[in-house]
Amino acid sequence: MIHVAIIGAGAISSAHINSYLQFHEQCKIVAICDIYPEKAKNLAERFHLDVEIYEHYEKVVNDSTIDLVSVCTPPYTHAEIAIKLLHSNKHVLVEKPMASSLEECDAMNTAAKKTGNILSIVSQNRFLSPMMKLKAILDSKLMGPIVHTQVDSYWWRGFSYYDLWWRGTWEKEGGGPTLNHAVHHIDIFQWMNGMPKEITAIMSNAAHENAEVEDISIAIGKYDDGSLVQITSSVIHHGEEQQLIFQGKNARVSVPWKVKASKSRQNGFPEDDLELERKIQALYLEQENLKHEGHPGQIHDVLQAVQGKKEVLVDGIQGRRTLELITAIYQSASLGKTVKLPLTADSPFYSREGLLKYATHFYEKKTSIDNFTDNTITTGGKYE
């Protein structure tokens, strides 16, 4: 039986608890930790859990009965907590984003390599049937080489969203929607299509004057073969519609699912390539739906890895690549220059100190509250 602890009793912790409870034959939640112990107690009572309540994560670090820990705390705390957990012989699942700097990501990966313990980064949208099916289509190469990708990470958050004490600051949240919302779609994009060689970006704060960070960014990435990607990250889009569109030389596919294929007339104008559309559609339908999706899917993946049955799909290396793209967007938008990839320790945005020094501060945070009484959240992901 794998003994599990949850650090951080905020809104996302419920998704972890619900997921672990689905695999009660493999694991048992034994502890919940939060700097506000009443939040941890309320969470335990809500799920009828008989667990230890800890106020400081060091208690989890020092509890030798714990095997696996979900870290559901603000991004700026991830590295310190994860590294100490790894060195205390625990496996670690860290909520997105992996950390608040590439320097911290590298330290986390070093700790995982040194200790041999599992470090996985939450990317629950990979564990959705439409995403896995789309990945199979791209891997088939039926579309031909990818020439353009469109990533629309559209969310909407009200003004009060940034009143929470750790949100809306570069120091504690580490960024706006580019980091904390689009991270899922940027992760899927780089997993499916690889890393571009350069990023050019702009960002703004159009509707949240109580936050230092951006509420929208638009980035263009370029590959060596000339293909392009455009990435929009936003919390000012009503309807919260998210999509990824891959344009190949032969066909276009996307989530939500759509396929369109064209072939050239003698004069270069398009006509439908119905045969290719049927092939791609047939391959898509051949792919089986996942048994466990979203957070349950990823937690099942981690539990299987802890038992030595597989490697995790999303490790710290993958988590770092996603943050590298996000960091490049912030660097380009803040300094007004195209950024070449990969980013190394020479990058002015490699460390938290560099981010705090160079990132554009749009406004000063005006309000800071400890907690919201309403923890209802939206998680997007309407991909069918």
Side-chain angles (χ1 to χ4, degrees):
M1 183 65 68
I2 299 168
H3 287 183
V4 175
I6 312 288
I7 299 179
I12 201 62
S13 62
S14 297
H16 287 248
I17 292 173
N18 268 318
S19 300
Y20 285 118
L21 292 177
Q22 292 187 31
F23 306 106
H24 57 86
E25 294 180 353
Q26 300 177 48
C27 65
K28 179 182 179 182
I29 301 171
V30 297
I32 300 177
C33 174
D34 197 277
I35 58 174
Y36 302 104
E38 285 302 317
K39 285 180 66 177
K41 290 177 184 176
N42 292 339
L43 196 61
E45 290 172 2
R46 176 181 159 199
F47 287 96
H48 309 289
L49 298 175
D50 180 17
V51 297
E52 295 289 339
I53 302 296
Y54 294 136
E55 186 173 355
H56 198 281
Y57 78 86
E58 291 282 4
K59 295 282 189 179
V60 178
V61 171
N62 295 326
D63 188 336
S64 61
T65 68
I66 294 171
D67 306 301
L68 170 64
V69 182
S70 275
V71 178
C72 303
T73 56
Y76 76 100
T77 67
H78 288 178
E80 177 182 319
I81 294 173
I83 289 169
K84 288 187 177 180
L85 289 169
L86 290 165
H87 282 292
S88 68
N89 200 32
K90 294 170 177 58
H91 305 294
V92 184
L93 174 62
V94 179
E95 258 298 338
K96 60 79 182 171
M98 180 174 175
S100 57
S101 73
L102 294 176
E103 182 179 45
E104 292 172 343
C105 291
D106 289 342
M108 293 164 73
N109 283 327
T110 296
K113 184 176 181 180
K114 184 175 181 179
T115 63
N117 293 314
I118 293 166
L119 172 64
S120 186
I121 314 303
V122 171
S123 302
Q124 78 270 16
N125 284 2
R126 288 198 193 188
F127 296 87
L128 296 174
S129 295
M131 294 299 181
M132 288 294 187
K133 292 178 180 182
L134 179 62
K135 182 70 161 62
I137 297 300
L138 294 173
D139 289 347
S140 75
K141 306 299 183 183
L142 284 171
M143 299 169 56
I146 303 301
V147 294
H148 179 258
T149 306
Q150 181 178 330
V151 181
D152 296 334
S153 188
Y154 295 163
W155 306 79
W156 191 91
R157 294 294 182 264
F159 193 83
S160 60
Y161 178 77
Y162 287 108
D163 288 346
L164 194 63
W165 65 275
W166 57 270
R167 285 189 187 138
T169 66
W170 290 105
E171 179 184 9
K172 292 184 172 64
E173 191 174 18
T178 315
L179 180 70
N180 291 297
H181 292 77
V183 58
H184 294 298
H185 304 99
I186 292 173
D187 171 73
I188 289 169
F189 154 71
Q190 68 86 9
W191 173 51
M192 290 186 176
N193 206 47
M195 297 284 281
K197 291 301 182 182
E198 63 180 51
I199 291 286
T200 306
I202 58 173
M203 63 182 178
S204 182
N205 184 320
H208 296 86
E209 295 88 354
N210 57 340
E212 300 173 357
V213 299
E214 89 288 357
D215 60 12
I216 183 170
S217 72
I218 300 173
I220 302 294
K222 186 176 181 181
Y223 290 81
D224 281 342
D225 63 3
S227 62
L228 299 177
V229 56
Q230 60 189 83
I231 303 168
T232 302
S233 312
S234 168
V235 286
I236 60 175
H237 276 72
H238 298 272
E240 300 203 321
E241 297 164 320
Q242 297 108 39
Q243 64 177 348
L244 291 93
I245 303 173
F246 292 89
Q247 301 280 356
K249 284 189 176 180
N250 303 326
R252 168 242 202 251
V253 293
S254 66
V255 283
W257 175 248
K258 180 181 177 181
V259 57
K260 185 67 180 178
S262 305
K263 56 186 177 181
S264 180
R265 297 177 183 272
Q266 184 273 336
N267 65 357
F269 281 75
E271 64 177 341
D272 293 343
D273 189 341
L274 298 179
E275 181 180 357
L276 179 56
E277 285 183 12
R278 283 193 289 267
K279 285 182 180 179
I280 294 173
Q281 183 69 26
L283 179 59
Y284 185 86
L285 294 175
E286 284 174 11
Q287 308 304 310
E288 294 184 0
N289 287 332
L290 300 177
K291 184 176 181 181
H292 306 290
E293 296 196 274
H295 274 88
Q298 179 147 21
I299 283 174
H300 180 259
D301 180 75
V302 172
L303 291 172
Q304 294 289 294
V306 170
Q307 296 171 70
K309 297 179 180 179
K310 67 182 299 294
E311 298 291 327
V312 290
L313 178 63
V314 192
D315 60 11
I317 303 301
Q318 285 285 305
R320 188 200 188 278
R321 286 177 186 157
T322 300
L323 189 67
E324 182 179 5
L325 268 176
I326 292 167
T327 301
I329 292 171
Y330 283 143
Q331 181 173 323
S332 175
S334 295
L335 302 183
K337 298 178 181 178
T338 295
V339 174
K340 301 291 185 180
L341 296 172
L343 293 179
T344 66
D346 295 331
S347 163
F349 278 62
Y350 177 73
S351 66
R352 282 191 73 221
E353 291 76 18
L355 177 76
L356 295 176
K357 179 178 180 181
Y358 294 109
T360 302
H361 284 59
F362 291 97
Y363 299 100
E364 293 302 315
K365 187 174 174 68
K366 298 180 176 69
T367 306
S368 181
I369 63 173
D370 289 342
N371 291 295
F372 291 120
T373 55
D374 181 1
N375 258 337
T376 305
I377 64 173
T378 55
T379 56
K382 303 177 185 70
Y383 300 121
E384 296 293 347

